[in-house]
């Protein structure tokens, strides 16, 4: 992924060594493949929330694989094996940029699906399994992946259009607003419900059990809020870069920010590296599954 204008300011462009890109790409690729394999093979993880997490990991895998392959192409170009300005190389670069954008769109949709799933879990716990069936989960995932595939093809066709960049930025901002509103609303309602439950008699076993279930669901929602926060931190600088390209492409102050483009890309691809670490730290079932997989112990009972 390249900047689309020449830096004409006094701020030198910050260069990130190729090995850093390659290392982040390879490690994040291995981590997210581990998540996908864990969810597929562990029957305890065959639930809607984990399916959406698996989808998120798959999109992160696409981002990691894309950036790793792009890094290899840069290495080949530097040693004279590829021509950076060749038509086929340029088309390949556009395809990889489009796949990276596809992973972004898929991540947003996955976060939105996870947020809705957590809302239903917390506030419609008794009807959850009737609402979020595996068939509906599969249909939602089908819609997400189809939409992302169409988006990727449009990106390949109209990658250099400002209209595409504008749509991309608008989608990012609107999605952030919707997901943030949903999480804030969810936590506010949870706080009100917790106060009502605390006011009930302690001897009521059903209310105590319901409070424990709600507490577990809220911890899950908190985990996913941390995931979403990491996503915002990692992707926002890149979108500020896109806005600057459209709003003030030749302004020296704007170009000083654009000189940090490679750092923005490092932060962007680091998101795929951070997510699995959050899963392992916050979600006990995934943590146990990772341990079993890495130690190759008692793995058959999950399959």
């Amino acid at each position: 992924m390249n900047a689309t204008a020449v830096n004409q300011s006094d701020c030198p462009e910050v260069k990130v060594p190729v090995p850093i890109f390659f290392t982040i790409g390879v490690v994040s690729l291995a981590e997210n493949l581990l998540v996908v394999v864990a969810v597929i093979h562990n029957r305890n993880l065959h639930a809607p929330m984990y399916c959406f997490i698996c989808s998120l990991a798959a999109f992160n895998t696409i981002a990691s694989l894309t950036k790793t392959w792009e890094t290899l192409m840069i290495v080949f170009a530097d040693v004279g094996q590829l021509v950076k300005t060749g038509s086929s190389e340029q088309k390949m670069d556009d395809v990889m940029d489009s796949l990276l954008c596809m992973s972004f769109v898929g991540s947003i949709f996955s976060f939105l699906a996870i947020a809705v799933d957590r809302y239903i879990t917390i506030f419609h716990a008794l009807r959850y399994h009737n609402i979020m069936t595996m068939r509906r989960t599969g249909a939602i995932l089908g819609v997400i992946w189809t939409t992302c595939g169409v988006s990727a093809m449009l990106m390949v066709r109209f990658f250099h259009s400002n209209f595409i960049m504008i749509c991309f930025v608008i989608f990012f901002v609107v999605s952030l607003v919707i997901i943030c509103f949903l999480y804030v609303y969810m936590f506010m309602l949870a706080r009100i419900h917790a106060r009502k439950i605390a006011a009930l008699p302690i001897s009521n076993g059903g209310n105590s059990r319901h409070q424990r279930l709600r507490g577990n669901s809220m911890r899950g929602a908190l985990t996913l809020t941390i995931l979403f926060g990491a996503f915002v931190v990692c992707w926002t600088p890149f979108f500020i870069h896109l806005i600057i390209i459209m709003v003030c492409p030749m302004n020296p102050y704007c170009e000083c920010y654009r000189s940090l483009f490679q750092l923005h890309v490092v932060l962007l691809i680091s998101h795929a590296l951070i997510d699995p670490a959050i899963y392992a730290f916050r979600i006990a079932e995934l943590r146990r599954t990772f341990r079993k997989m890495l130690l190759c112990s008692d793995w058959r009972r999950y399959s």
Side-chain angles (χ1 to χ4, degrees), residues 182-224:
L182 189 56
Y183 273 120
V184 170
Y185 181 67
M186 182 165 48
F187 281 110
M188 288 177 61
L189 286 182
R191 188 175 180 181
I192 295 173
H193 284 222
R195 289 177 179 176
K196 291 181 179 179
I197 293 174
L200 296 175
I202 299 177
S203 59
N204 193 326
N207 288 329
S208 178
R209 178 176 178 273
H210 189 63
Q211 188 173 10
R212 287 196 301 272
L213 291 173
R214 189 180 297 277
N216 292 334
S217 298
M218 285 305 300
R219 282 192 292 272
L222 180 59
T223 298
L224 299 170

Side-chain angles (χ1 to χ4, degrees), residues 63-96:
S64 302
L65 188 61
T66 300
K67 194 58 191 176
T68 302
W69 180 250
E70 184 179 47
T71 303
L72 287 175
M73 289 184 63
I74 293 174
V75 172
F76 290 146
D78 290 340
V79 298
Q81 297 299 317
L82 286 176
V83 181
K84 292 183 179 180
T85 57
S87 59
S88 59
E89 286 78 11
Q90 186 61 47
K91 289 180 181 178
M92 179 62 69
D93 186 64
D94 289 345
V95 169
M96 288 189 292

Side-chain angles (χ1 to χ4, degrees), residues 65-135:
L65 188 61
T66 300
K67 194 58 191 176
T68 302
W69 180 250
E70 184 179 47
T71 303
L72 287 175
M73 289 184 63
I74 293 174
V75 172
F76 290 146
D78 290 340
V79 298
Q81 297 299 317
L82 286 176
V83 181
K84 292 183 179 180
T85 57
S87 59
S88 59
E89 286 78 11
Q90 186 61 47
K91 289 180 181 178
M92 179 62 69
D93 186 64
D94 289 345
V95 169
M96 288 189 292
D97 287 347
S98 300
L99 288 175
L100 194 61
C101 295
M102 172 186 173
S103 69
F104 159 75
V105 175
S107 297
I108 281 286
F109 278 132
S110 296
F111 278 119
L112 184 58
I114 291 170
V116 173
D117 176 79
R118 289 299 86 193
Y119 177 85
I120 297 173
T121 302
I122 295 171
F123 300 108
H124 301 280
L126 299 179
R127 299 173 52 221
Y128 174 78
H129 293 291
N130 293 328
I131 298 174
M132 289 299 298
T133 63
M134 291 303 293
R135 177 175 294 181

Side-chain angles (χ1 to χ4, degrees), residues 220-242:
L222 180 59
T223 298
L224 299 170
T225 303
I226 295 173
L227 286 171
F228 181 66
F231 176 84
V232 173
V233 170
C234 291
W235 279 85
T236 298
F238 172 72
F239 276 89
I240 294 176
H241 180 90
L242 292 184

Side-chain angles (χ1 to χ4, degrees), residues 4 155 158-171 239 241-243 245-246:
T4 57
M155 288 298 299
F158 304 105
F159 182 74
H160 298 289
S161 170
N162 282 337
F163 176 75
I164 292 296
M165 279 197 270
I166 292 172
C167 292
F168 209 45
V169 172
I170 292 175
F171 174 72
F239 276 89
H241 180 90
L242 292 184
I243 293 173
I245 289 176
M246 293 181 291

